[in-house]
């Protein structure tokens, strides 16, 4: 018997529509849904391979309790009731000894059901929702664009690629990281020959198609943005009508960017002066135009100001919320967005008394505490709290949708802190990761093929139903149901942050204001609204002045520069030339591979076949000087974590500058023995640090643009 189910993929965070074929109760095919607005029929290799994870022989099948020493790999199978009762009792012990704020949860990126783990500490009177990667992934853009235009508009849901005449891709590689959206850019270039500008230190597929490729020195994006703003202003290329009516602080910005003429910016960024001018003229002179920015802008110390400068390009040229520009949100009336399930917004967040205790609120008030825009604890600060008890100890940690001993910087320290300092560590996951190996309890999660929930991307104005394709295999459960069941067993918990009796009830809660039920949504598969343009003409921008704030007195009151500025990376050819003798190359890392999502997918046969080894991209000229041949295993070291090194396989390519190397990231080896599973062998986070110096707004750290040395293994 064959059944076909329209649902929504969650192999990454793109939320693409898919059509899944089930024969005799087993998934046989996953294809793209041509009617879904995100991907329009496209599907990437991760989506196609999702059934390989669901049916994987190494999948976690039932709750496990540690019976040996932490990390020894000795486990006992227990029931769900036994697991949740024991965890609830241990949480009460931790609360009684250390206080509720010593309880925390850590999650990875979203939208994923694991984001709901954020609600657990809130229900237990703790503010400590930790993100393993938001400090270098998302937060800086949210903060920077919030203070400038009131909403983030340059990430993958903001740009209207389909109607743009010019597309500027900056610090992202959407054909790999957001492939459904990346396909829109490819289509726009191939079918309409739009102008395409790409800022990237690597010659990606998009860069090879671009009218202009700006091969930037990693970590200097803020200087380039300021130089382009300078060119647009000095050459009178800005939209004078929009600037006069809707921008605040133009004169202050004009004065600030005078310090960044194209010739000076060329020296900083390694991009030819003429190319900088051409890029500014092409973007400003081709309307409508969009900017697509992503995580590379967030992975240095000056990340928030960089994001502010980049979104100002859209503002000065009048490309905000117009057809073919960067769009403000198009929301569905009455719908509660899924971001609420991360405790963001007015719906489920704790009160200010609890928020005020959030780790980082004293130094990073824009991401932690009462004034936070998108509240979370940056993982480097959480590691300090676990390892050193600063500002107070974290003793109980729940982990879902994350693999912190691989994905957090200075991961050997993370490993040791979790192993030696926690009284309780619980991991919810699909497989036994290196992080799960350190847990006291490991709980099996249901995959997206086994769950039902609302899926939304508010900027695109739609809500889709993730429909259950098969029943949860083994004893796996929806993470939200796990949390609800746990909190019910804790008499001192506050149900305000987890107010439902089931995940199914949560789905109804999210839709109640629309007048629809989840069954209604499932019948329709998707509901959407047409975009409304120039909403600011009636609503204003969501800033204190109601205008685009090129000069932000609001951000200045927190002690930050009211106009964007430039800062060199802490280690670079310019800031630390004395290090160049020992560390002569500039390192960039974190580039996305379409086959993997962060550290996920290494055990999936079809995906691993595409990328079997961790790679270091190095220019042939540089490799020849170092005696390195294609395919050699080579060591890499950085001054960020002295005395450590990792091993990667060389990939000789002219797509990188001879002065730059690019290291793949997120590597561990499920086939190697536990508990480490090789997570220190080739994981670039071994040699990258989360320690000071950190970015002033969100504790971002330099993972792109630091220095390194490479040499052949013996």
């Amino acid at each position: 018997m064959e059944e076909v189910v329209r649902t929504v993929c969650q192999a990454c965070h793109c939320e693409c529509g898919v059509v899944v074929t089930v024969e005799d109760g087993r998934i046989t095919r996953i294809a793209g849904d041509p009617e879904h607005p995100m991907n329009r029929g496209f599907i990437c290799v991760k989506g196609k391979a999702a059934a390989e994870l669901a049916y994987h022989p190494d999948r976690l099948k039932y709750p496990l309790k540690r019976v040996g020493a932490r990390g020894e790999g000795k486990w006992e199978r227990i029931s769900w009731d036994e697991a949740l009762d024991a965890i609830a009792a241990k949480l009460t012990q931790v609360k009684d000894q250390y206080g509720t704020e010593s309880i925390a949860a850590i999650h990875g990126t979203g939208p994923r059901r694991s984001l709901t783990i954020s609600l657990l500490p809130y229900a237990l009177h703790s503010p400590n929702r930790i993100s393993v990667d938001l400090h270098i992934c998302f937060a800086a853009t949210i903060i920077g664009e919030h203070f400038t235009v009131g909403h983030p508009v340059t990430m993958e849901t903001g740009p209207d690629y389909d109607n743009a005449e010019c597309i500027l891709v900056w610090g992202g590689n959407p054909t790999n990281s957001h492939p459904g959206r990346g396909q829109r850019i490819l289509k726009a270039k191939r079918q309409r020959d739009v102008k395409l500008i790409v800022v990237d230190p690597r010659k990606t597929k998009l860069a090879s198609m671009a009218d202009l490729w700006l091969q930037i020195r990693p970590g200097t994006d803020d200087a380039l943005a300021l130089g382009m703003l300078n060119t647009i202003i000095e050459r009178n290329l800005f939209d004078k009508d929009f600037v006069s009516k809707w921008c605040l602080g133009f004169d202050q910005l004009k004065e600030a960017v005078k310090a960044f003429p194209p010739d000076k910016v060329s020296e900083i960024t390694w991009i030819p002066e003429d190319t900088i001018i051409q890029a500014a003229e092409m973007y400003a002179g081709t309307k409508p135009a969009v900017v697509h920015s992503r995580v590379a802008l967030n992975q240095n110390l000056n990340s928030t100001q960089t994001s502010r400068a980049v979104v100002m390009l859209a503002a000065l040229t009048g490309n905000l919320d117009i057809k073919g520009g960067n769009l403000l949100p198009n929301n569905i009336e009455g719908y509660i967005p899924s971001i609420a399930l991360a405790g963001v917004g007015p719906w489920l967040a704790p009160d200010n008394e609890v928020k005020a205790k959030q780790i980082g609120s004293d130094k990073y008030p824009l991401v932690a505490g009462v004034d936070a825009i998108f509240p979370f604890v940056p993982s480097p600060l959480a590691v300090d709290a676990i390892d050193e008890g600063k500002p107070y100890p974290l003793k109980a940690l729940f982990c879902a949708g994350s693999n912190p001993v691989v994905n957090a910087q200075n991961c050997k320290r993370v490993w040791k802190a979790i192993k030696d300092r926690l009284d309780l560590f619980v991991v919810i996951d699909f497989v036994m990761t290196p992080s799960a190996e350190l847990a006291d309890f490991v709980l099996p999660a249901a995959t997206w093929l086994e769950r039902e929930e609302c899926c939304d991307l508010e900027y695109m104005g739609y809500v889709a139903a993730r429909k259950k394709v098969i029943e949860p295999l083994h004893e796996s459960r929806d993470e939200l149901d796990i949390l609800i069941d746990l909190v019910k067993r804790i008499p001192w918990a506050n149900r305000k942050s987890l107010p439902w009796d089931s995940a199914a009830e949560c789905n109804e809660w999210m839709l109640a204001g629309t007048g629809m039920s989840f069954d209604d949504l499932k019948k329709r598969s998707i509901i959407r609204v047409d975009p409304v343009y120039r909403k600011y003409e009636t609503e204003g921008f969501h800033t204190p002045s109601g205008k685009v704030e090129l000069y932000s007195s609001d951000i200045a009151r927190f002690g930050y520069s009211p106009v964007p500025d430039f800062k060199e990376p802490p280690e670079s050819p310019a800031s630390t030339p004395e290090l160049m003798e020992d560390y002569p190359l500039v390192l960039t890392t974190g580039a996305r591979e379409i086959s993997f999502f962060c550290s996920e997918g290494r055990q999936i046969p079809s995906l691993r076949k595409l990328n079997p080894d961790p790679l270091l991209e190095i220019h042939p000229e540089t490799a020849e000087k170092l005696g390195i041949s294609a395919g050699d295993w080579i060591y890499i070291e950085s001054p960020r974590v002295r005395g450590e090194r990792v091993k990667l396989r060389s990939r000789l390519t002219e797509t990188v500058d001879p002065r730059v190397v690019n290291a793949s990231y997120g590597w561990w080896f499920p086939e190697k023995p536990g508990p480490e599973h090789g997570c220190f062998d080739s994981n670039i986070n071994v040699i990258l640090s989360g320690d000071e110096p950190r970015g002033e707004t969100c504790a971002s750290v330099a993972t792109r643009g630091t220095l390194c040395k490479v040499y052949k293994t013996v």
Side-chain angles (χ1 to χ4, degrees):
M1 179 178 176
E2 182 179 281
E3 181 186 8
V4 177
V5 182
R6 286 185 70 195
T7 186
V8 181
C9 177
Q10 204 180 45
C12 69
H13 61 193
C14 292
E15 305 280 68
C16 292
V18 290
V19 180
V20 183
T21 303
V22 181
E23 296 181 10
D24 297 325
R26 189 174 180 88
I27 297 165
T28 57
R29 183 172 183 263
I30 304 175
D33 182 354
E35 297 180 27
H36 196 281
M38 168 55 75
N39 54 312
R40 297 178 181 176
F42 176 82
I43 185 171
C44 78
V45 291
K46 295 188 295 297
K48 289 181 180 179
E52 291 184 61
L53 174 61
Y55 298 126
H56 199 285
D58 295 336
R59 184 173 171 189
L60 293 168
K61 298 177 177 63
Y62 35 74
L64 296 172
K65 176 184 177 181
R66 175 176 62 84
V67 294
R70 185 171 279 163
E72 191 178 358
K74 294 182 179 180
W75 304 97
E76 175 188 1
R77 177 178 178 176
I78 59 176
S79 70
W80 274 105
D81 283 336
E82 289 174 312
L84 297 179
D85 284 344
I87 292 168
K90 188 63 179 180
L91 284 169
T92 298
Q93 291 178 17
V94 170
K95 183 262 296 185
D96 290 344
Q97 185 171 357
Y98 298 101
T100 56
E101 63 268 23
S102 66
I103 299 168
I106 186 167
H107 63 79
T109 195
R112 301 172 69 78
R113 191 58 126 178
S114 55
L115 275 178
T116 60
I117 195 74
S118 306
L119 300 177
L120 179 62
Y122 294 169
L124 301 182
H125 309 277
S126 170
N128 290 317
R129 165 212 179 191
I130 305 162
S131 170
V132 73
D133 57 4
L134 277 176
H135 65 299
I136 56 167
C137 176
F138 194 56
T141 298
I142 286 180
I143 295 167
E145 297 187 6
H146 169 86
F147 280 102
T148 310
V149 301
H151 294 281
V153 297
T154 69
M155 291 185 283
E156 62 277 2
T157 56
D160 182 8
Y161 310 109
D162 297 343
N163 297 297
E165 295 298 328
C166 178
I167 300 173
L168 169 57
V169 177
W170 197 322
N173 187 15
T175 56
N176 281 6
S177 58
H178 301 89
R181 299 290 276 165
Q183 292 299 309
R184 305 280 187 90
I185 302 174
L186 294 177
K187 181 179 178 181
K189 183 61 183 170
R190 289 167 175 165
Q191 296 187 5
R192 297 191 291 113
D193 195 27
V194 302
K195 300 297 183 184
L196 178 61
I197 307 166
V198 175
V199 180
D200 200 306
R202 303 165 61 236
K203 194 171 187 179
T204 62
K205 181 178 182 177
L206 280 181
S208 67
M209 298 172 63
D211 297 88
L212 288 173
W213 171 39
L214 283 67
Q215 190 176 23
I216 193 169
R217 171 163 68 92
T220 61
D221 302 86
D222 42 1
L224 176 60
L226 293 168
M228 290 180 67
L229 289 169
N230 171 291
T231 302
I232 289 170
I233 292 172
E234 292 299 320
R235 299 187 177 219
N236 287 311
L237 302 175
F238 57 94
D239 186 323
K240 297 173 182 60
D241 183 60
F242 182 85
V243 168
S244 65
K245 290 181 180 178
W246 292 106
C247 291
L248 182 72
F250 177 77
D251 290 339
Q252 292 96 323
L253 178 66
K254 180 178 180 180
E255 186 62 30
V257 299
K258 284 181 179 178
F260 296 93
D263 58 341
K264 179 180 177 180
V265 171
S266 176
E267 294 176 6
I268 295 170
T269 62
W270 298 350
I271 300 169
E273 179 182 353
D274 288 349
T275 305
I276 296 170
I277 295 170
Q278 287 178 51
E281 291 180 337
M282 182 178 291
Y283 173 77
T286 312
K287 199 166 182 175
V290 297
V291 182
H292 171 108
S293 78
R294 222 31 181 108
V295 298
L297 301 188
N298 290 231
Q299 297 184 351
N300 228 299
L301 270 60
N302 204 36
S303 52
T304 297
Q305 296 292 6
T306 304
S307 293
R308 292 191 69 217
V310 169
V311 77
M312 287 179 189
L313 293 169
L316 286 190
T317 55
N319 280 303
L320 289 174
D321 212 33
I322 64 170
K323 188 175 183 178
N326 288 86
L327 304 182
L328 295 167
N330 286 283
N331 299 320
I332 294 176
E333 186 175 355
Y335 176 71
I336 297 176
S338 57
I339 199 66
L341 304 186
V344 177
W347 301 280
L348 304 168
D351 58 34
N352 284 347
E353 184 178 353
V354 174
K355 287 181 183 178
K357 298 178 182 178
Q358 192 168 37
I359 292 171
S361 59
D362 56 339
K363 190 169 183 179
Y364 303 101
L366 299 185
V367 297
V370 174
D371 294 314
I373 309 304
F374 193 84
F376 71 99
V377 177
S379 58
L381 277 63
V383 174
D384 289 345
I386 296 170
D387 194 31
E388 302 175 11
K390 298 178 181 178
Y392 51 78
L394 292 181
K395 286 297 185 179
L397 182 63
F398 276 73
C399 175
S402 176
N403 190 3
V405 299
V406 173
N407 291 328
Q409 292 77 52
N410 199 346
C411 55
K412 284 190 174 181
R413 184 190 179 207
V414 177
W415 173 279
K416 190 174 188 303
I418 290 174
K419 183 175 182 291
D420 296 343
R421 303 293 188 188
L422 289 176
D423 287 5
L424 175 66
F425 185 42
V426 180
V427 172
I428 308 173
D429 215 320
F430 308 125
V431 296
M432 187 66 78
T433 65
S435 298
E437 292 276 11
L438 295 181
D440 302 297
F441 297 89
V442 179
L443 307 177
T447 69
W448 61 267
L449 292 160
E450 303 157 323
R451 296 197 313 267
E452 294 200 324
E453 58 197 300
C454 300
C455 306
D456 60 81
L457 288 166
E458 61 173 344
Y459 283 66
M460 300 183 71
Y462 71 79
V463 179
R466 178 170 290 122
K467 305 172 193 175
K468 188 186 298 182
V469 178
I470 56 174
E471 290 300 317
L473 296 174
H474 316 295
E475 295 183 21
S476 62
R477 297 183 66 186
D478 186 317
E479 284 124 312
L480 184 53
D481 277 326
I482 296 171
L483 302 182
I484 292 170
D485 200 355
L486 173 62
V487 168
K488 287 178 181 178
R489 298 163 191 260
I490 301 174
W492 48 272
N494 173 13
R495 290 296 302 278
K496 174 186 172 184
S497 292
L498 277 164
W500 322 283
D501 285 328
S502 66
E505 188 177 305
C506 173
N507 292 337
E508 304 298 343
W509 173 81
M510 295 171 71
L511 288 164
T514 69
M516 294 180 61
S517 68
F518 191 69
D519 279 343
D520 294 333
L521 180 61
K522 286 199 294 183
K523 290 174 184 175
R524 297 175 60 177
S525 288
I526 190 165
I527 57 172
R528 60 185 308 181
V529 296
D530 292 330
V532 176
Y533 303 113
R534 302 183 189 273
K535 293 180 286 295
Y536 57 83
E537 292 183 346
T538 55
E539 303 172 6
F541 290 91
H542 289 190
T543 60
S545 66
K547 297 183 177 182
V548 175
E549 299 202 351
L550 308 174
Y551 178 101
S552 173
S553 55
D554 202 27
I555 201 171
R557 69 186 175 91
F558 290 96
Y560 310 126
S561 174
V563 292
D565 55 12
F566 164 69
K567 289 184 176 66
E568 270 285 342
E571 300 94 12
S572 78
S575 59
T576 54
E578 70 279 3
L579 289 177
M580 295 295 289
E581 184 174 347
D582 291 329
Y583 301 94
L585 297 170
V586 177
L587 169 65
T588 187
T589 184
R592 271 47 180 167
E593 296 289 348
I594 197 169
S595 50
F596 300 135
F597 183 67
C598 299
S599 65
E600 295 180 14
R602 266 59 177 196
Q603 67 274 83
I604 305 301
S606 65
L607 301 181
R608 187 67 177 276
K609 185 178 180 180
L610 296 173
N611 280 286
D613 298 314
L615 299 177
L616 185 80
E617 293 182 333
I618 184 169
H619 195 280
E621 293 176 7
T622 308
E624 184 178 8
K625 292 176 183 177
L626 296 171
I628 294 170
S629 301
D632 284 347
W633 285 98
I634 54 180
Y635 285 121
I636 179 170
E637 299 180 24
S638 89
R640 297 292 290 149
V641 183
R642 303 270 185 158
E644 297 289 352
R645 65 184 184 182
V646 291
K647 183 171 66 173
L648 298 93
R649 191 184 287 278
S650 66
R651 178 176 181 263
L652 274 53
T653 173
E654 295 184 354
T655 62
V656 294
D657 188 286
R659 297 163 287 185
V660 174
V661 294
N662 172 59
S664 56
Y665 84 113
W667 270 92
W668 61 292
F669 300 88
E671 68 273 17
K672 291 187 177 182
E676 295 94 343
H677 297 288
C679 70
F680 304 134
D681 296 349
S682 302
N683 180 8
I684 199 67
N685 275 323
V686 170
I687 64 168
L688 295 175
S689 176
D691 296 341
E692 296 283 3
R694 298 169 180 147
E696 62 182 4
T697 58
C698 58
S700 54
V701 292
T703 63
R704 308 197 189 212
T706 190
L707 300 178
C708 71
K709 62 180 174 182
V710 301
Y711 51 96
K712 191 173 179 179
T713 60
V714 177

